Amino acid sequence: MSKTKGLHGVRPIDVERGQVDLSHGAGGRAMTQLIEELFFDALGNEVLNREHDAALVELPPGRVVMSTDSFVISPIFFPGGDIGSLSVHGTVNDLAMGGGVPKYLTVGFILEEGFPLKDLKRIVGSMAKAAQDAGVTIVSGDTKVVERGKGDGIFINTAGVGVVSDGVVIGGHLARPGDKVLVSGTLGDHGVAVMSKRENLSFTTEILSDAQSLNGLTTAMLESVPGIRVLRDPTRGGLSAALNEIAQQSGVGVALDEAQLPIRPEVKSACELLGLDPLNVANEGKLVAICAAEDAEKLLAVMREHPKGKDAAIVGDVIDDPRHFVHLRTGFGGKRLVDWLAGEQLPRIC
């Protein structure tokens, strides 16, 4: 994303009534004007404003952690967020789950011809606020426009860079039998919020997406318990997919306690109405942590002291299981398998 200053005498973009057209991706005056008046107005900073195709940045000491992600959610605006803020939160959280301190993001927009400029401005503004709140800087970007009917309004691709301090070792392969499993808060909020908007469902209490950046929470957790073994954000596939991945990577099993799982009553009711399992529903602002049993209560207290972990709970144990199953101890005293999601439960959820 480059910027050319001084388009004197050119009429400003009509954001309220204008639409994206093919010239906005053609590399000429219209594209430059879009970048200058819309993208740079919201996202401009010292690094981005240097106008280089590649950003030159400084990193503090430590190991570099990197991630990339793409966001294709439908609808693009949902209760509690939109595709813009979601793209920042999702990338920041990927870096944080590696034990990193996120520093820089890049962003690529794929826009469909005819997409309203006022919606684009709203999305870019949402990204700017999310980045500011997370303490990260958007340092480079790109814009492409596809013909009408060959996209779906807007897709966003991001990449993120952060730094992991020496001594911090986080990985899905590190869980050990006897460890405790914790979650940072209520499950299924994001997926149900998106589904309610998509299906025009209304509930007595509005269900909001939990989408948020968790790097502040992970920093506090690692400062208190540097021996945390695993961090994972249970996005697509929910808690079920996250724990099955960890069980396979570590060669262990996981036993969950149904009574300890934090799920809002309204989310539970919505899932029953829609025929969904809350453990399979996406989250965009919650994390799973696995630590040694002797550290669990200390870690839980730290999580609950943080505003993004106030509903944290210890929800299960890592067990020795050569089959690497995840199962749930039900409220009736029985057990049920918590398996991978078969098929696509909620399309276009992130």
Side-chain angles (χ1 to χ4, degrees):
M1 187 183 294
S2 61
K3 172 186 175 185
T4 302
K5 298 185 180 72
L7 292 177
H8 300 297
V10 177
R11 180 179 299 175
I13 293 175
D14 186 349
V15 173
E16 288 302 312
R17 293 181 295 179
Q19 296 180 340
V20 171
D21 61 45
L22 294 178
S23 67
H24 287 130
R29 177 178 293 177
M31 181 173 174
T32 298
Q33 188 177 12
L34 179 72
I35 292 170
E36 182 169 320
E37 295 184 18
L38 197 150
F39 291 117
F40 273 78
D41 182 60
L43 303 176
N45 57 70
E46 181 181 354
V47 178
L48 193 63
N49 292 350
R50 291 173 186 159
E51 305 176 35
H52 295 306
D53 287 336
L56 182 64
V57 298
E58 299 283 346
L59 288 173
R63 292 160 293 156
V64 174
V65 59
M66 300 177 63
S67 181
T68 187
D69 210 341
S70 298
F71 299 85
V72 297
I73 192 167
S74 176
I76 58 175
F77 301 105
F78 49 85
D82 58 52
I83 192 173
S85 58
L86 180 65
S87 67
V88 173
H89 297 319
T91 310
V92 166
N93 290 344
D94 284 346
L95 299 174
M97 295 310 112
V101 176
K103 300 294 293 182
Y104 304 109
L105 303 183
T106 69
V107 58
F109 295 90
I110 299 178
L111 307 173
E112 184 181 10
E113 180 186 12
F115 188 74
L117 289 177
K118 65 178 181 180
D119 287 349
L120 181 58
K121 182 178 178 65
R122 177 180 169 184
I123 289 165
V124 174
S126 180
M127 294 182 71
K129 184 179 186 307
Q132 182 180 27
D133 291 345
V136 298
T137 305
I138 296 173
V139 296
S140 185
D142 182 57
T143 306
K144 295 292 187 296
V145 179
V146 298
E147 292 88 347
R148 193 184 303 269
K150 294 187 177 181
D152 195 9
I154 179 171
F155 298 150
I156 298 177
N157 173 264
T158 57
V161 176
V163 176
V164 179
S165 299
D166 292 335
V168 174
V169 181
I170 303 291
H173 63 291
L174 297 175
R176 299 291 179 264
D179 289 348
K180 293 292 185 179
V181 180
L182 299 85
V183 297
S184 63
T186 54
L187 302 171
D189 298 350
H190 175 72
V192 171
V194 172
M195 179 58 75
S196 67
K197 183 70 172 179
R198 185 182 297 157
E199 302 298 333
N200 294 317
L201 300 177
S202 60
F203 304 100
T204 303
T205 302
E206 185 178 23
I207 300 173
L208 301 178
S209 168
D210 63 352
Q212 58 184 341
S213 295
L214 297 171
N215 49 322
L217 174 60
T218 56
T219 296
M221 292 166 63
L222 287 166
E223 288 176 351
S224 175
V225 183
I228 294 172
R229 304 197 206 277
V230 182
L231 291 171
R232 189 67 56 89
D233 52 339
T235 53
R236 282 176 298 177
L239 183 65
S240 171
L243 291 180
N244 274 284
E245 287 174 357
I246 294 167
Q248 292 290 330
Q249 291 167 3
S250 292
V252 299
V254 177
L256 296 174
D257 188 342
E258 184 177 41
Q260 301 305 315
L261 292 171
I263 302 173
R264 298 182 192 278
E266 54 269 32
V267 169
K268 188 175 295 186
S269 297
C271 286
E272 291 175 355
L273 176 67
L274 296 168
L276 305 176
D277 183 345
L279 299 186
N280 289 334
V281 176
N283 310 270
E284 289 290 349
K286 302 294 173 10
L287 63 81
V288 179
I290 296 178
C291 69
E294 58 267 26
D295 292 330
E297 291 295 338
K298 181 179 181 180
L299 183 59
L300 178 64
V302 170
M303 294 170 72
R304 287 179 171 175
E305 287 174 0
H306 195 281
K308 295 181 179 180
K310 60 183 178 63
D311 296 318
I314 299 174
V315 298
D317 305 275
V318 178
I319 61 174
D320 187 6
D321 183 350
R323 301 164 300 177
H324 315 323
F325 285 168
V326 178
H327 72 260
L328 180 72
R329 297 184 288 256
T330 70
F332 297 102
K335 293 182 180 180
R336 75 169 176 90
L337 190 66
V338 180
D339 203 356
W340 300 84
L341 179 65
E344 185 64 44
Q345 178 176 253
L346 294 173
R348 304 284 306 280
I349 205 70
C350 64

